[in-house]
Amino acid sequence: MSEHVTVIESVKLDDANDAIILLDQTQLPNKKEFLHLKTVDDVWDAIYQLKVRGAPAIGIAAAYGIYIVTKNSKATSFDAFYQEFKTAKEKLASSRPTAVNLFWALDRMEARLQNEQTGTITEIKNALREEADLIKKEDQKVCEAIGYHALEVLEPGWGILTHCNAGTIATAKYGTALAPIYLGQERGYDFKVYADETRPLLQGARLTAWELNEAGVDVTLICDNMASIVMSQDKVQAVLVGCDRVAANGDAANKIGTSGVAILAKHYGIPFYVCAPMSTIDLNTETGSDIEIELRSEEEIKTKWYSEPMAPADIKTYNPAFDVTDHSLITGIITEKGIVSPSYKENLTKIFE
Ligand code: MRU
């Protein structure tokens, strides 16, 4: 699989210039602007502002971020270097709370650092770069495998509804929920994709519609409140979404609005699949109610993306960025190791064995 995927690397290392090169996703689809991030504050800000977004891409940016920041360390002892690493890790971990990939990637970088503690500081820095590269490379393979497994349950010509953006720019490549679309495109499956616009930050309209359109996929943009009519008209045979964290019981946190789509899918008898790399499955979180849901600013609802205010300036808002889809609404969780079916409590544990 390759030629149908828009080959835009959303996160890249520029080691010679001590920087991460990042596609600024807040500028899409109007501008392809690349940022050069050098400091821990640059990386924190890029994650917080959703310049890089999507659970796997956030993890990759954090891994490269901590490498770049500690690469410039002047520490001469392991303890001093480790202290600087921990300070940077703590800062980056505070950028967004819901996607577990952020914490997973930072923990993995820390484990690598601990394994290298008998080496010189230069050797440790090289090992950190290697680990960040691995996290990115593995994610490509993982996404491709998710795509292949997802195709097992999809048929040519189907209408597929997706929410938010779980595509190539949200990962190292291919995406999770969009990977089977690209793979199907290559095989002439002729999927018809319905992309929910995904209020308030419009990841569906700005990102999913854009990247699928660039790849020549048949994609139709709908407003979030149109999913029901589209489903009722037999236009959708499956729903595929990405996710930010799967709890041990199969509850899955994803972009706000996802649980509503799942409830609609159940009503219309449409299979609802969550595409999740193993790095998104968090067996330490028991259920969805233990997942911290990020709350974001009121301006995202009231003014952002619009030339005129969209609501009274003094109106109260509530802006949760994610919601949790109850495991009972999920037909299957599609991972790189295959499709996990209910009962999730048993079967999610099994795939880690
Ligand atoms: O707030 P965002 O844009 O980072 O939310 C992203 C999502 O909800 C995605 O569906 C999820 O991270 C999976 S990306 C493969």
Side-chain angles (χ1 to χ4, degrees):
M1 164 163 60
S2 58
E3 76 262 36
H4 288 117
V5 177
T6 323
V7 186
I8 289 196
E9 279 182 83
S10 54
V11 186
K12 232 178 354 195
L13 176 67
D14 179 0
D15 211 12
N17 292 306
D18 295 347
I20 308 177
I21 300 182
L22 197 100
L23 171 67
D24 183 351
Q25 297 192 33
T26 62
Q27 301 297 321
L28 290 171
N30 303 314
K31 254 195 280 175
K32 267 184 223 161
E33 195 168 284
F34 289 88
L35 307 169
H36 293 243
L37 313 180
K38 293 191 164 214
T39 67
V40 73
D41 289 335
D42 290 347
V43 180
W44 186 93
D45 186 69
I47 297 174
Y48 177 72
Q49 307 247 21
L50 274 60
K51 291 174 182 173
V52 58
R53 35 80 37 216
I58 291 172
I60 295 164
Y64 278 131
I66 203 148
Y67 161 64
I68 283 296
V69 169
T70 51
K71 182 187 175 189
N72 291 322
S73 162
K74 304 268 178 291
T76 50
S77 73
F78 176 80
D79 286 348
F81 183 78
Y82 194 13
Q83 196 46 54
E84 285 181 32
F85 179 97
K86 282 201 278 202
T87 306
K89 182 183 177 214
E90 206 176 307
K91 171 83 186 178
L92 292 177
S94 70
S95 53
R96 293 189 78 187
T98 307
V100 73
N101 303 60
L102 170 65
F103 311 101
W104 169 87
L106 289 171
D107 286 347
R108 190 166 149 175
M109 293 295 282
E110 184 169 4
R112 181 67 189 260
L113 175 125
Q114 285 167 338
N115 279 344
E116 304 289 331
Q117 58 180 292
T118 52
T120 64
I121 301 294
T122 306
E123 283 165 348
I124 295 173
K125 288 177 181 174
N126 288 339
L128 288 176
R129 186 194 53 234
E130 201 177 276
E131 196 63 27
D133 280 341
L134 265 179
I135 288 174
K136 183 174 172 187
K137 272 199 201 118
E138 285 171 15
D139 188 59
Q140 283 195 20
K141 290 219 169 77
V142 160
C143 289
E144 200 170 356
I146 288 174
Y148 280 111
H149 290 301
L151 275 189
E152 292 163 21
V153 292
L154 306 175
E155 286 178 26
W158 273 15
I160 294 170
L161 186 135
T162 190
H163 191 75
C164 193
N165 173 268
T168 189
I169 55 175
T171 61
K173 205 174 177 184
Y174 309 122
T176 56
L178 299 193
I181 312 282
Y182 289 119
L183 194 52
Q185 167 92 340
E186 215 167 65
R187 295 179 176 187
Y189 270 35
D190 208 15
F191 291 132
K192 285 154 190 53
V193 179
Y194 289 88
D196 283 350
E197 66 174 349
T198 317
R199 276 276 283 151
L201 294 183
L202 305 176
Q203 288 91 333
R206 295 185 305 103
L207 310 176
T208 298
W210 168 76
E211 72 163 78
L212 290 179
N213 198 41
E214 292 267 302
V217 172
D218 179 340
V219 54
T220 304
L221 176 64
I222 58 170
C223 298
D224 296 327
N225 49 10
M226 296 170 188
S228 178
I229 189 167
V230 169
M231 288 183 187
S232 76
Q233 291 170 341
D234 287 334
K235 293 185 196 298
V236 176
Q237 282 67 50
V239 177
L240 297 178
V241 294
C243 80
D244 285 77
R245 191 185 298 231
V246 179
N249 72 341
D251 291 348
N254 190 49
K255 180 50 54 194
I256 191 71
T258 304
S259 67
V261 174
I263 291 165
L264 288 175
K266 180 100 175 175
H267 176 79
Y268 290 109
I270 297 167
F272 180 94
Y273 293 100
V274 170
C275 299
M278 308 265 288
S279 54
T280 303
I281 300 169
D282 180 11
L283 296 183
N284 295 321
T285 296
E286 227 171 287
T287 72
S289 47
D290 302 310
I291 299 175
E292 182 178 343
I293 300 294
E294 178 182 21
L295 291 177
R296 296 187 61 89
S297 74
E298 62 171 23
E299 59 112 7
E300 290 182 352
I301 295 183
K302 287 157 95 171
T303 54
K304 204 172 168 92
W305 312 119
Y306 305 102
S307 50
E308 297 292 331
M310 295 295 288
D314 58 351
I315 204 77
K316 271 196 297 186
T317 62
Y318 175 54
N319 184 14
F322 298 93
D323 63 21
V324 172
T325 299
D326 192 84
H327 59 275
S328 63
L329 300 168
I330 300 172
T331 312
I333 299 175
I334 306 177
T335 74
E336 64 269 35
K337 286 213 181 161
I339 303 180
V340 182
S341 305
S343 153
Y344 293 118
K345 217 173 173 142
E346 278 109 56
N347 294 340
L348 283 174
T349 314
K350 271 193 206 146
I351 59 161
F352 281 95
E353 279 162 8

